[in-house]
Amino acid sequence: MPIKIPNDLPAFNTLEKERIFVIPNDRAQHQDIRALKIAILNLMPDKISTETQLLRLLSNTPLHVDIDLVQMGSHTSKNTSQEHMLAFYQTFSEVRQNRYDGLIITGAPIEQLEFEDVDYWDELCEVMEWSKTNVFSSIHICWGAQAALHYHYGVPKYPLKAKMFGNFKHHINVPESLILKGFGDVFHCPHSRHTEVRHEDIERIGALSILAESDEAGVQLVSDSSERMFFQFGHWEYDRETLAKEYYRDKNKGLDIALPYNYFPDNDPEKKPIFNWSCSANLLYSNWLNYCVYQRTPYDLGELEPLVIKP
């Protein structure tokens, strides 16, 4: 089944060229089917790249998925044109009356700021509170995951001595988790962040479970006890070249940036980067849509049960 997006969204042509089944809004209106309604709150600076990456992963199931792209009304994007934002995004105030099967809150390169110093923090807190009554299942990514754990459970974040940057091996702690169904014992995933949450802080909260982690990169995937909220600290959505682009961007700015770990063959940035996380990325998002959303969400979203945050 297809993923439904506007046919003039830049990601449409990219995904169609990759032979990913996308369907324009006008055609979808003639189909009598209950699509999954997924909202993406995109906090990343390069909106178009992040849209494309996430839509690629969400399209890899037989399910019909209807996407709403959401932005913070209290923040003006500086890296994506206002024409694009006006054409394809709604503010949170415009969608807050809606109900969704799923919500994705992306990361943002602001993890060195205190949460309360982020200009849209108050509005993001409204989104996270709203998600407990208006969303069945949520995935929070990187800084978005740190923000959500802080808001819902009071989990702190800590500065790192050096940027966690590279392609890291992870192991599974809870193989019976629905979102990890079909995973092997180990998988790879990129990380790119200056702060961390710590195993011991999460372990103290009985309602949270650390599903997967890395000896080098730390906690990777956490869920609440209902498996309706997920917090991931790597970037499964990244393309092959994303870390390379970040590396060259920071190097060209004169920043003290190390080569991304376990990414360029022989640590040679002239060589094609290793891309060994795409299978686990596709499987994770397929599992989320199928097992954690489609098979559990009510057909009538008006019957959505509120999510109770347990200590």
Side-chain angles (χ1 to χ4, degrees), residues 70-73 90-97 123 127:
V70 184
Q71 62 172 317
M72 294 281 83
Q90 300 175 76
T91 62
F92 170 59
S93 63
E94 292 173 317
V95 304
R96 69 183 308 155
Q97 300 305 317
E123 187 178 10
V127 173

Side-chain angles (χ1 to χ4, degrees), residues 166-220:
N167 175 23
F168 296 92
K169 182 186 292 185
H170 302 75
H171 58 267
I172 305 294
N173 293 341
V174 187
E176 64 272 20
S177 170
L178 290 172
I179 202 167
L180 294 175
K181 188 176 178 66
F183 271 65
D185 292 337
V186 298
F187 63 88
H188 285 81
C189 184
H191 288 253
S192 178
R193 51 187 167 78
H194 294 274
T195 55
E196 67 175 354
V197 295
R198 293 179 179 167
H199 180 110
E200 56 269 26
D201 291 331
I202 297 170
E203 198 171 42
R204 279 194 285 266
I205 299 172
L208 296 177
S209 178
I210 300 173
L211 305 182
E213 56 192 326
S214 164
D215 293 340
E216 298 86 8
V219 176
Q220 160 64 358

Side-chain angles (χ1 to χ4, degrees), residues 131-148:
S131 72
K132 296 190 301 189
T133 55
N134 286 59
V135 175
F136 183 78
S137 182
S138 302
I139 288 182
H140 312 80
I141 301 172
C142 199
W143 181 82
Q146 294 180 351

Side-chain angles (χ1 to χ4, degrees), residues 125-300:
C125 289
E126 289 184 53
V127 173
M128 293 187 290
E129 185 64 26
W130 163 89
S131 72
K132 296 190 301 189
T133 55
N134 286 59
V135 175
F136 183 78
S137 182
S138 302
I139 288 182
H140 312 80
I141 301 172
C142 199
W143 181 82
Q146 294 180 351
L149 280 180
H150 175 71
Y151 176 77
H152 292 298
Y153 295 99
V155 174
K157 64 182 174 72
Y158 302 89
L160 293 165
K161 293 180 180 179
K163 184 178 182 180
M164 188 66 66
F165 189 44
N167 175 23
F168 296 92
K169 182 186 292 185
H170 302 75
H171 58 267
I172 305 294
N173 293 341
V174 187
E176 64 272 20
S177 170
L178 290 172
I179 202 167
L180 294 175
K181 188 176 178 66
F183 271 65
D185 292 337
V186 298
F187 63 88
H188 285 81
C189 184
H191 288 253
S192 178
R193 51 187 167 78
H194 294 274
T195 55
E196 67 175 354
V197 295
R198 293 179 179 167
H199 180 110
E200 56 269 26
D201 291 331
I202 297 170
E203 198 171 42
R204 279 194 285 266
I205 299 172
L208 296 177
S209 178
I210 300 173
L211 305 182
E213 56 192 326
S214 164
D215 293 340
E216 298 86 8
V219 176
Q220 160 64 358
L221 184 64
V222 173
S223 77
D224 72 333
S225 56
S226 69
E227 286 201 282
R228 285 179 60 181
M229 273 193 176
F230 298 95
F231 313 86
Q232 67 168 71
F233 298 93
H235 284 279
W236 260 302
E237 78 280 5
Y238 272 9
D239 296 328
R240 179 193 300 273
E241 300 291 341
T242 306
L243 291 178
K245 291 176 182 177
E246 290 186 12
Y247 169 72
Y248 285 115
R249 177 200 66 198
D250 290 353
K251 188 176 180 181
N252 291 337
K253 289 181 179 179
L255 300 178
D256 183 17
I257 182 69
L259 283 169
Y261 172 80
N262 193 33
Y263 178 62
F264 293 113
D266 303 318
N267 278 333
D268 183 350
E270 298 300 317
K271 293 185 176 180
K272 187 176 182 179
I274 296 169
F275 187 34
N276 57 1
W277 61 89
S278 61
C279 290
S280 61
N282 279 288
L283 183 55
L284 179 111
Y285 279 89
S286 295
N287 284 347
W288 179 60
L289 286 177
N290 183 20
Y291 297 110
C292 304
V293 180
Y294 175 70
Q295 295 193 31
R296 299 179 63 199
T297 190
Y299 184 85
D300 180 357

